[in-house]
Amino acid sequence: MRAKALLKSIRSLRKEIELLQQEERLMLSPKGIAYDGVKVQTSPKDRMLETVEMIQELEDTIAEKKQELSMNYLQAFTLIYSLDNSDYRRLLILYYIDGDRPKEWNEVADIMGYSESRVKHFHGWALTEIEKRMDKSAHDSTRVNGKL
């Protein structure tokens, strides 16, 4: 996976996990009973087992997504901290990884004290630098394995 795809996957996985957790909270919240005054001869179908199974599936999915996110974090931090330029590192962490939620471009620019366009240029240069390192690493590993 290339650098930008890896970093973008972190943002999208975080958003997906957040949405799944919201869905889980909704499923776990108590439901009201509607009574419209109409007499019913039969009992409503008990859906408790079905609901519990759905919640369990949702929890399993969330756990899988969190595991994938952890692996992507590890790869991303390895790539980011291979950069010599501290502005590049800071930018990538702020935009893709930081805190409760990754920052938007205007927020990153404000934090770093640069214009938004300058921050976007840094972003491009940082990704180019990471790609060069990835290509060099791949080239070196094939040389070590005796394939060159």
Side-chain angles (χ1 to χ4, degrees), residues 2-148:
R2 301 309 290 176
K4 188 171 186 177
L6 171 66
L7 294 168
K8 285 178 88 172
S9 74
I10 289 172
R11 283 180 74 99
S12 64
L13 277 169
R14 287 176 62 153
K15 184 172 280 297
E16 187 176 359
I17 289 168
E18 181 182 322
L19 292 172
L20 289 168
Q21 288 172 331
Q22 285 176 3
E23 186 176 337
E24 180 183 32
R25 282 190 297 275
L26 285 173
M27 292 178 92
L28 291 171
S29 65
K31 309 290 186 277
I33 298 174
Y35 180 72
D36 59 5
V38 176
K39 291 185 179 183
V40 179
Q41 295 297 323
T42 60
S43 301
K45 180 181 175 187
D46 183 13
R47 296 183 169 250
M48 181 60 83
L49 181 60
E50 185 179 310
T51 302
V52 169
E53 288 173 352
M54 288 172 52
I55 291 170
Q56 184 59 52
E57 287 177 22
L58 195 55
E59 287 175 350
D60 292 346
T61 302
I62 291 170
E64 289 171 14
K65 296 293 180 184
K66 283 183 175 182
Q67 178 65 32
E68 184 180 351
L69 181 61
S70 294
M71 297 302 295
N72 287 2
Y73 272 144
L74 181 60
Q75 287 181 313
F77 277 116
T78 301
L79 290 172
I80 290 169
Y81 281 99
S82 73
L83 295 171
D84 296 327
N85 187 312
S86 62
D87 281 336
Y88 291 178
R89 290 191 306 263
R90 187 171 185 211
L91 161 83
L92 294 174
I93 289 170
L94 286 170
Y95 186 68
Y96 291 105
I97 297 170
D98 190 50
D100 295 342
R101 64 172 181 76
K103 309 288 186 265
E104 297 303 323
W105 287 121
N106 61 333
E107 295 171 299
V108 173
D110 287 344
I111 291 168
M112 293 184 70
Y114 293 109
S115 69
E116 193 172 325
S117 64
R118 185 70 170 165
V119 167
K120 288 180 180 180
H121 281 102
F122 280 174
H123 177 257
W125 296 332
L127 291 178
T128 299
E129 187 64 32
I130 286 176
E131 294 291 340
K132 285 181 190 175
R133 290 174 185 271
M134 289 172 72
D135 291 342
K136 182 182 182 311
S137 176
H139 179 73
D140 290 348
S141 69
T142 56
R143 181 179 296 215
V144 168
N145 292 330
K147 294 184 179 176
L148 281 183

